[in-house]
Amino acid sequence: MKPENIKVACSNCNLRELCMPVGLAPGELQRIDDLVATRRKVKRRETLFRNGEPFTSLYAIRTGVFKTRVTSEDGRDQVTGFQMAGEIIGLDGIVNDQHTCDAVALEDSEVCVMPFERIEELSREVTALQRHVHQIMSREIVREHGVMLLLGSMRAEERLAAFLLNLVQRLHARGFSRSELVLRMTREEIGSYLGLKLETVSRTLSKFAADGMVEVEQRNVRILDPEALRRIVNPPGC
């Protein structure tokens, strides 16, 4: 048996609380274990799925980081999100039974493959799973609203500060440091996501460092003054 086809046991996964329903009865948890068909390894820069491909499964990221992107009519790539361990990707394919974006690994990664037909079938029997899928979809809608706020009303400093705070918060929920992170994405990819030019991202990071809010060494970032970053996003009196 190939390594990527080894059966996954959700009940023993340390990311279970992030990507699976909580409070399941033992019998229900066994059913959830049966939901995950295989693991799949995705090398850095490889694509998990592409725009236009048939939609068959949702993917729970077990290790690694992905970016999702869409390509405009003139051929430019637009980054639409960054996803990390414990998060579910592939929801874009539900509406028309085909994917509407590309999902690309930013580092060597591994995902749990969950056939959507099996999810629908099991959701009718385990109400906690159905509710969890709805929560995942709702969270994606809330994320989209947040991105619209970033792009529609925030200055460059506000966008980048909000991005760094969100990233370190998500990493901390996975057991990583509250203040130190490694940017798996390039500054150009960050700019694409935030609607900023590469030069603006680099200049703003340098300003944050000069003001004593962060330390930056290539892709390593240390948050020195999170409160100062929060004040940029939410100025006093707002």
Side-chain angles (χ1 to χ4, degrees):
M1 180 179 293
K2 295 182 180 179
E4 61 266 27
N5 291 330
I6 295 175
K7 181 69 182 70
V8 183
C10 296
S11 54
N12 295 323
C13 179
N14 60 0
L15 294 172
R16 177 164 60 93
E17 292 184 2
L18 289 172
C19 68
M20 281 290 135
V22 295
L24 293 175
E28 292 177 325
L29 192 54
Q30 179 60 50
R31 301 295 304 278
I32 297 294
D33 277 353
D34 294 337
L35 176 65
V36 179
T38 60
R39 290 181 190 171
R40 177 175 166 187
K41 294 184 182 296
V42 187
K43 294 289 187 181
R44 179 173 177 262
R45 296 182 180 174
E46 284 186 355
T47 303
L48 176 61
F49 56 79
R50 293 183 180 276
N51 175 37
E53 286 184 353
F55 166 71
T56 59
S57 303
L58 296 180
Y59 304 91
I61 303 173
R62 185 172 174 84
T63 61
V65 179
F66 286 80
K67 71 174 179 181
T68 47
R69 69 183 180 197
V70 295
T71 304
S72 61
E73 291 184 359
D74 61 4
R76 289 180 298 172
D77 286 340
Q78 170 69 52
V79 176
T80 58
F82 299 106
Q83 299 80 24
M84 61 184 64
E87 295 179 341
I88 309 293
I89 55 176
L91 292 164
D92 62 290
I94 294 176
V95 62
N96 289 320
D97 291 326
Q98 68 177 29
H99 290 288
T100 59
C101 65
D102 302 336
V104 183
L106 297 180
E107 60 181 344
D108 289 352
S109 304
E110 186 177 55
V111 299
C112 300
V113 182
M114 302 181 292
F116 193 65
E117 284 187 358
R118 199 176 299 179
I119 292 176
E120 288 187 304
E121 178 183 343
L122 192 55
S123 291
R124 291 190 284 269
E125 302 173 25
V126 181
T127 56
L129 177 61
Q130 184 181 59
R131 184 167 59 251
H132 186 66
V133 172
H134 291 165
Q135 288 173 339
I136 292 170
M137 293 178 176
S138 178
R139 189 161 58 234
E140 188 68 11
I141 292 170
V142 171
R143 187 192 69 81
E144 291 282 351
H145 289 171
V147 173
M148 289 175 65
L149 178 63
L150 274 176
L151 301 182
S153 63
M154 288 187 173
R155 297 177 294 108
E157 288 187 9
E158 294 172 318
R159 297 181 192 187
L160 190 57
F163 174 77
L164 291 175
L165 289 171
N166 174 264
L167 197 59
V168 77
Q169 178 186 23
R170 289 160 66 193
L171 287 168
H172 179 62
R174 287 149 181 81
F176 294 96
S177 168
R178 285 181 180 271
S179 60
E180 297 184 14
L181 62 148
V182 179
L183 297 175
R184 302 300 180 185
M185 63 292 295
T186 66
R187 284 157 175 70
E188 186 174 10
E189 289 167 336
I190 293 172
S192 175
Y193 177 63
L194 297 177
L196 300 172
K197 293 182 179 179
L198 169 62
E199 296 79 8
T200 303
V201 174
S202 298
R203 185 172 60 249
T204 305
L205 269 177
S206 296
K207 184 179 186 306
F208 287 172
D211 291 343
M213 291 183 281
V214 302
E215 283 182 358
V216 182
E217 184 177 346
Q218 297 181 335
R219 294 197 174 195
N220 297 290
V221 177
R222 184 181 179 193
I223 309 294
L224 300 177
D225 193 345
E227 287 303 319
L229 291 176
R230 292 189 187 99
R231 286 195 296 272
I232 291 175
V233 179
N234 297 299
C238 290

